[in-house]
Amino acid sequence: MNLRDSRAVPVNHLEAENLQLWRGDRHVLKGVGFTLSRGECLQVTGTNGAGKTTLLRTLCGLMVPEEGRVLREGRDVRADLPAYHSSLMYLGHEAPLKADLTARENLYYWIGVRRRVAGAELDAALARVGAGACCERLVRALSAGQKRRVALAGLALMFAPLWLLDEPTTNLDAEGQQVVGALMAEQLARGGAIVVATHQQLPAAVRVAQVLELAS
Amino acid sequence: MQAQAPSPVATAAASLSGGTEVAPALAAARLALSRDLTLAFRKRGQLIQPLAFFALVTMLFPLAVSPELSRLRAIAPGVLWVAALLASLLALEFLFRDDAYDGTLEQYALSGQSLTWLLFAKTAAHWLLTGLPLALMAPLAAMSLGVAAAAVPGIVLVMVVGTVALSLIGAIGAALTLGMKRSGALLALLTLPLSLPVLIYGARATELAIGGTSFIAPLELLAALAVLAVTLAPLAAAAAVRISLE
Amino acid sequence: MRWTWFHRLASPPYLYALAARLTPWFAWPAALLILGGLYAGLVLAPPDYQQGEGFRIIYVHVPSAWMSLMVYVTMGVAAAVGLIWRMKVAHAVAASCAPIGASFTVAALVTGSLWGKPMWGTYWVWDPRLTSELILLFLYLGFMGLRAGFDDTQRADRSAALLAIVGMVNVPIIHYSVIWWNSLHQGPSVMRLGKPTMPPAMLVPLLVLLLGFTLFFAAVLLVRVRAEILQRERAARWIGETLRA
């Protein structure tokens, strides 16, 4: 029904209004605001401790800002968090992978909690990110880069309109970075939006519409 | 309404969702359950620990009190329940800890599914892996304390109901102490006072079962506690996990 | 920017000033009532026909036990308000309640066991009231322990608040199961108090002391809340301004 409303009044995909957040005595988010349309990518930069991760966690509704709000399709996301959550995908710098499960099982349980997923889909996604060989191997035996690729396969499987990515290119070689770039470009092409926090250069395939620099 | 041509916005959204079907809450919970069971069976060594602990605590009493079966029989219900309480407490620390570290709980909280159901599933897995084996092992421990074999079905039944409540109450404590580096003693301090009613009714029902009389009254009270825990504890645990993610 | 600071801190300075203004209004009546009540209870009231002079400890024991529960309820309500409406000062109130409540609980336990000595010849009896009181002490200790376990005040506040709510649901369950447990192992309920037969000369001082203890709690709570607010808002500008003024 969100969509029906949005047809009448064209609204922005994701909007943050004057987000203010304190952690103890520290004023972490000092009036952050932006407007993101469909098919756009917002890059959040800033030094370590500038609040990039805090901003992403606030955007996805885990943290509650003292002031300001986050709007999706013109509506406060707090009004219906489960619906908002099923429309977004948050990938932190730690991939939620279990060492004692295989790459494939990890994906199956991770994605399966959100939507029905077929085995063939999992294999295709793993192959796509260049981790096809790791399918049946325990994650314990994978390198940091391979683990990262398994996490990216999760991203490829999650057809969420909004991606919130925290340092997606960490631990990846040049080829892996290309994969990230391709996945992100694809997401933008199909009208999805991305908020990505990184101080690294994003792969060339990703057209960054806006850059938001957080001051520490 | 439906006859209208889809708007560009709607089509974009449809292609994004890719015709995929959102998993129903129960299916998601079942998946969370089977995930935890799979993981536990990959690390089989850890499964035995609470059981070994339970047996060990039971063994302490003949050594500390007396090997006389008549004396042990008198304290058997108390011994069984204290041992079960401590063993289930011991296992609690791992209930949410790993999933908090690697971001699984975060993904659960952001899955759009009910976190309450997912945590209920995790707690159910925990009970299947610790509470149920404890209940099944209790007769063995009881018989080593001089309890007659006739009391076995009663002991198991009471233990099964009681450990359900213990696991759920424990889940609240485990979720509350998530943000801490070391939580062992605090977890006990939080969980044990809340578990006392379970101990009281459980031990009394066991005592009656051993004595060969009807233990239906305390069992009913124990079942009431378990039902209350099933309804409220997952809600509290979900709230606690959300707080830990803030 | 200045408005957000103002907005965020609007209530703490207000509550800080309000608490300062209200404290004497509770402290003085509390002092008068407690002194008067103690005089009436320890000196004026006649000795009990069974327990002799020993019964007089109820004038400390009963109000302490009463307060130990009332403080827990206050704490739970404040915690719930803080958790639901994200009100920081409510968490400050809940945090201030815990040590006061724990102290009342300890006072009730100590006076209860002192009472036990002349009554049953032993300092400790597993009487349902004393047992419940002991469990209540552990609930307070758990609350304070959980708070102390977190470095982050916000997380400590919210986690402890949830625990206080869970505790509030559980206190009656624990209480009744302890009574049930005690009724099995017979043992007459020893501290049966508030009998309707209690003569007014004994009852009135008790009621006066109950009121006095309640006001005393309110006064101490206000002082602690101010300290708690100072501690929490130490980085805020109004503190310097208030303290200089």
Side-chain angles (χ1 to χ4, degrees):
Chain A
M1 68 247 202
N2 259 350
L3 296 171
R4 205 158 292 151
D5 295 344
S6 63
R7 201 185 307 167
V9 189
V11 280
N12 296 302
H13 193 57
L14 185 73
E15 217 176 328
E17 283 179 2
N18 183 36
L19 297 177
Q20 306 268 359
L21 194 129
W22 280 263
R23 282 317 255 186
D25 293 342
R26 235 157 47 83
H27 194 179
V28 187
L29 300 182
K30 307 170 187 116
V32 176
F34 62 82
T35 303
L36 198 62
S37 306
R38 292 178 182 287
E40 279 191 347
C41 174
L42 169 74
Q43 183 181 2
V44 183
T45 63
T47 50
N48 288 334
K52 296 194 293 285
T53 300
T54 305
L55 176 60
L56 286 191
R57 293 174 72 86
T58 307
L59 288 178
C60 67
L62 285 176
M63 289 174 151
V64 183
E66 256 109 319
E67 293 259 318
R69 40 186 203 155
V70 180
L71 304 162
R72 189 175 117 75
E73 314 286 4
R75 285 192 179 196
D76 193 328
V77 298
R78 298 232 139 246
D80 188 358
L81 274 179
Y84 176 57
H85 285 156
S86 49
S87 79
L88 74 80
M89 161 80 183
Y90 171 73
L91 194 57
H93 25 190
E94 278 293 321
L97 303 178
K98 284 282 176 219
D100 290 310
L101 295 176
T102 66
R104 197 162 180 278
E105 286 170 329
N106 262 303
L107 278 182
Y108 170 67
Y109 289 123
W110 176 20
I111 308 300
V113 164
R114 302 182 59 129
R115 67 176 184 88
R116 290 183 197 285
V117 61
E121 256 186 290
L122 298 175
D123 295 331
L126 279 168
R128 160 113 209 258
V129 297
C134 314
C135 258
E136 300 299 334
R137 280 170 62 194
L138 289 184
V139 163
R140 158 185 316 290
L142 302 184
S143 70
Q146 284 169 319
K147 281 184 201 163
R148 195 70 213 167
R149 281 168 190 246
V150 176
L152 290 176
L155 201 56
L157 284 166
M158 210 83 81
F159 300 101
L162 175 62
W163 283 5
L164 302 167
L165 310 177
D166 200 351
E167 303 286 359
T169 49
T170 338
N171 285 335
L172 284 174
D173 53 17
E175 197 198 318
Q177 305 221 0
Q178 293 303 314
V179 175
V180 178
L183 283 174
M184 287 172 73
E186 199 174 284
Q187 162 82 347
L188 297 176
R190 64 180 168 224
I194 303 176
V195 179
V196 53
T198 181
H199 44 230
Q200 291 176 342
Q201 187 76 38
L202 281 171
V206 183
R207 208 175 54 78
V208 175
Q210 301 173 46
V211 176
L212 178 71
E213 183 164 2
L214 295 179
S216 48
Chain B
M1 281 292 212
Q2 300 218 325
Q4 288 177 3
S7 73
V9 173
T11 20
S15 80
L16 274 174
S17 58
T20 52
E21 207 179 328
V22 174
L26 272 178
R30 208 163 47 228
L31 212 60
L33 178 83
S34 77
R35 172 179 178 279
D36 280 18
L37 294 181
T38 312
L39 270 170
F41 283 107
R42 295 270 155 92
K43 284 191 272 186
R44 258 172 241 121
Q46 280 193 358
L47 287 180
I48 309 168
Q49 282 174 17
L51 293 178
F53 183 81
F54 179 70
L56 197 60
V57 173
T58 315
M59 190 187 82
L60 296 179
F61 285 87
L63 294 176
V65 181
S66 138
E68 263 176 70
L69 285 183
S70 61
R71 285 184 71 182
L72 290 173
R73 198 175 302 129
I75 57 166
V79 172
L80 289 179
W81 275 89
V82 170
L85 195 60
L86 295 180
S88 83
L89 186 68
L90 185 77
L92 273 181
E93 233 189 307
F94 307 102
L95 176 51
F96 297 131
R97 179 128 301 203
D98 289 349
D99 283 351
Y101 278 138
D102 64 23
T104 303
L105 285 185
E106 198 170 83
Q107 289 294 327
Y108 278 176
L110 293 175
S111 65
Q113 302 284 2
S114 151
L115 186 59
T116 310
W117 269 107
L118 292 171
L119 296 187
F120 179 71
K122 280 190 69 64
T123 313
H126 180 259
W127 177 77
L128 286 173
L129 296 165
T130 59
L132 188 59
L134 281 180
L136 296 178
M137 217 181 96
L140 218 61
M143 274 147 86
S144 77
L145 298 172
V147 170
V152 164
I155 292 176
V156 173
L157 180 63
V158 173
M159 208 47 125
V160 163
V161 177
T163 47
V164 167
L166 288 183
S167 287
L168 285 157
I169 294 169
I172 304 176
L176 279 171
T177 50
L178 267 182
M180 290 176 196
K181 282 176 194 72
R182 247 187 271 160
S183 61
L186 184 61
L187 187 57
L189 184 59
L190 299 187
T191 312
L192 289 182
L194 301 179
S195 309
L196 290 180
V198 178
L199 178 79
I200 289 173
Y201 298 128
R204 176 63 182 165
T206 309
E207 191 187 343
L208 292 176
I210 290 174
T213 41
S214 164
F215 52 92
I216 202 76
L219 183 64
E220 276 173 354
L221 289 165
L222 193 62
L225 287 181
V227 169
L228 197 68
V230 166
T231 359
L232 296 181
L235 283 171
V241 164
R242 285 221 175 77
I243 290 170
S244 81
L245 291 173
E246 268 180 13
Chain C
M1 209 59 136
R2 277 176 53 210
W3 276 107
T4 57
W5 272 98
F6 176 74
H7 182 80
R8 176 171 173 254
L9 299 179
S11 38
Y14 178 73
L15 186 71
Y16 182 84
L18 187 71
R21 239 176 314 135
L22 287 181
T23 306
W25 290 95
F26 288 102
W28 285 110
L32 290 176
L33 285 171
I34 289 176
L35 285 176
L38 282 180
Y39 182 70
L42 300 184
V43 181
L44 298 182
D48 186 74
Y49 74 101
Q50 273 182 324
Q51 308 187 9
E53 301 291 341
F55 96 98
R56 292 185 196 279
I57 202 158
I58 65 160
Y59 291 116
V60 184
H61 175 78
V62 173
S64 301
W66 158 252
M67 289 314 296
S68 66
L69 260 180
M70 195 178 120
V71 176
Y72 199 88
V73 173
T74 312
M75 184 173 92
V77 170
V81 168
L83 198 62
I84 296 166
W85 287 288
R86 296 194 158 261
M87 193 191 283
K88 289 185 174 181
V89 289
H91 288 303
V93 172
S96 312
C97 280
I100 309 176
S103 312
F104 277 124
T105 315
V106 169
L109 281 171
V110 170
T111 51
S113 75
L114 285 179
W115 192 7
K117 185 64 181 168
M119 292 301 102
W120 321 293
T122 168
Y123 282 113
W124 184 263
V125 171
W126 289 98
D127 164 87
R129 286 187 194 232
L130 280 181
T131 311
S132 289
E133 205 64 37
L134 186 62
I135 299 170
L136 190 62
L137 179 64
F138 286 120
L139 289 178
Y140 276 119
L141 292 180
F143 181 87
M144 293 192 281
L146 188 63
R147 288 197 60 84
F150 292 104
D151 300 329
D152 179 15
T153 317
Q154 197 181 336
R155 186 173 296 178
D157 279 345
R158 296 178 61 73
S159 298
L162 189 65
L163 179 67
I165 295 169
V166 171
M168 268 219 296
V169 173
N170 267 280
V171 162
I173 299 177
I174 294 173
H175 183 68
Y176 285 108
S177 55
V178 167
I179 290 178
W180 186 88
W181 157 79
N182 193 260
S183 69
L184 292 178
H185 307 276
Q186 38 89 51
S189 182
V190 201
M191 294 181 194
R192 191 165 294 135
L193 286 165
K195 281 180 283 189
T197 52
M198 206 176 193
M202 285 181 175
L203 187 62
V204 170
L206 187 60
L207 296 178
V208 168
L209 279 163
L210 276 177
L211 186 61
F213 269 57
T214 310
L215 294 178
F216 171 70
F217 160 61
V220 177
L221 180 64
L222 289 173
V223 173
R224 286 199 74 97
V225 164
R226 288 179 68 206
E228 187 76 31
I229 290 178
L230 276 186
Q231 162 88 20
R232 285 161 181 250
E233 303 286 329
R234 57 190 177 274
R237 202 176 307 137
W238 69 268
I239 296 241
E241 285 159 7
T242 313
L243 293 185
R244 263 193 300 278

